[in-house]
Amino acid sequence: DTAVSQTPKYLVTQMGNDKSIKCEQNLGHDTMYWYKQDSKKFLKIMFSYNNKELIINETVPNRFSPKSPDKAHLNLHINSLELGDSAVYFCASSQLVAGENYGYTFGSGTRLTVV
Amino acid sequence: AQTVTQSQPEMSVQEAETVTLSCTYDTSENNYYLFWYKQPPSRQMILVIRQEAYKQQNATENRFSVNFQKAAKSFSLKISDSQLGDTAMYFCAFMKPYSGNTPLVFGKGTRLSVIA
């Protein structure tokens, strides 16, 4: 069973379109994240949700809107796609265990290409 | 804000040899976590090793071990008996004790190539 699954794995779309990436985790974790990995492989936090509540909202264009219908799901909707949005987007989840943090479990990433 | 620096953009090592990847970080926190993640060509992010700052003992996981120097804010990863499957990007990452709004902060990565 995949712990953190993202769909789709690849997404090619034209500028100006609206697209969504879905993420689901079956680990029972309370916190989920979206990271963006640019062409130089740098990973940057975009958003974080804890039990459906937005807790991190980094400096990201308003065209990006996360939605968490329940704590197992965190989706990312992107409006009016631009060439610069081309990147790999990673979903991740985490959970405190006895007050300790054991890192994140990542999905396999979605490679978004805007043409 | 915390920063993580990996000063070696690329490294290579012969199969079966040992290689050390460097990482330094900047923080005013006393308690925190440090991680090394591996990203092979498959793109999957894989946790390699984890260190708690309040533990002086260096973490080890099979062929992977760290040299954690808290005063120097240094956290290097040693890979022993390198294998072809170790070829990947390696990311050092820092995290404050969880307070609900402290994400994992990554370095820019080191691309490691293991040569047969």
Side-chain angles (χ1 to χ4, degrees):
Chain A
D1 278 348
T2 304
V4 180
S5 59
Q6 290 179 233
T7 54
K9 290 192 183 332
Y10 297 94
L11 184 53
V12 181
T13 187
Q14 290 188 327
M15 277 197 313
N17 283 351
D18 303 338
K19 291 292 179 185
S20 292
I21 306 171
K22 295 186 176 182
C23 180
E24 176 182 3
Q25 54 97 2
N26 63 6
L27 299 166
H29 288 175
D30 286 334
T31 310
M32 295 184 72
Y33 311 83
W34 279 111
Y35 275 77
K36 179 180 180 180
Q37 186 174 42
D38 62 24
S39 59
K40 296 184 178 179
K41 302 292 188 183
F42 184 59
L43 284 147
K44 192 175 188 319
I45 183 73
M46 298 175 70
F47 302 103
S48 173
Y49 271 77
N50 183 266
N51 267 321
K52 302 192 296 177
E53 180 185 352
L54 180 66
I55 54 173
I56 296 175
N57 186 352
E58 288 294 306
T59 307
V60 176
N62 290 339
R63 300 181 293 102
F64 290 78
S65 54
K67 283 189 173 53
S68 182
D70 54 62
K71 78 171 194 177
H73 295 84
L74 179 60
N75 303 323
L76 183 65
H77 188 75
I78 315 170
N79 289 325
S80 303
L81 277 154
E82 300 177 357
L83 293 177
D85 298 332
S86 295
V88 178
Y89 293 85
F90 282 97
C91 177
S93 70
S94 70
Q95 176 73 20
L96 287 181
V97 178
E100 294 286 341
N101 198 306
Y102 289 87
Y104 295 0
T105 303
F106 283 84
S108 57
T110 296
R111 179 177 293 281
L112 171 65
T113 303
V114 183
V115 297
Chain B
Q2 283 71 33
T3 58
V4 178
T5 302
Q6 294 179 247
S7 58
Q8 305 149 316
E10 292 188 26
M11 294 191 73
S12 61
V13 63
Q14 292 285 336
E15 203 175 2
E17 297 294 309
T18 295
V19 65
T20 298
L21 309 185
S22 301
C23 173
T24 57
Y25 57 93
D26 185 28
T27 184
S28 57
E29 302 288 332
N30 188 45
N31 290 325
Y32 46 87
Y33 301 97
L34 295 162
F35 304 87
W36 279 97
Y37 277 86
K38 168 185 177 181
Q39 186 179 37
S42 66
R43 201 170 72 202
Q44 182 70 49
M45 292 289 290
I46 302 164
L47 179 62
V48 175
I49 203 163
R50 166 185 176 270
Q51 176 78 43
E52 298 147 332
Y54 57 84
K55 287 189 177 178
Q56 291 188 340
Q57 186 173 5
N58 289 325
T60 62
E61 288 288 343
N62 300 316
R63 298 182 295 107
F64 298 87
S65 61
V66 298
N67 182 1
F68 173 48
Q69 301 289 328
K70 191 173 183 180
K73 296 180 183 175
S74 170
F75 183 61
S76 60
L77 176 69
K78 185 171 85 171
I79 306 174
S80 303
D81 185 26
S82 297
Q83 301 175 358
L84 295 176
D86 295 333
T87 293
M89 285 288 293
Y90 286 81
F91 294 95
C92 180
F94 170 99
M95 185 170 187
K96 291 197 291 184
Y98 185 75
S99 63
N101 61 354
T102 54
L104 204 53
V105 175
F106 287 91
K108 292 189 175 182
T110 295
R111 185 181 301 277
L112 176 69
S113 298
V114 179
I115 304 164

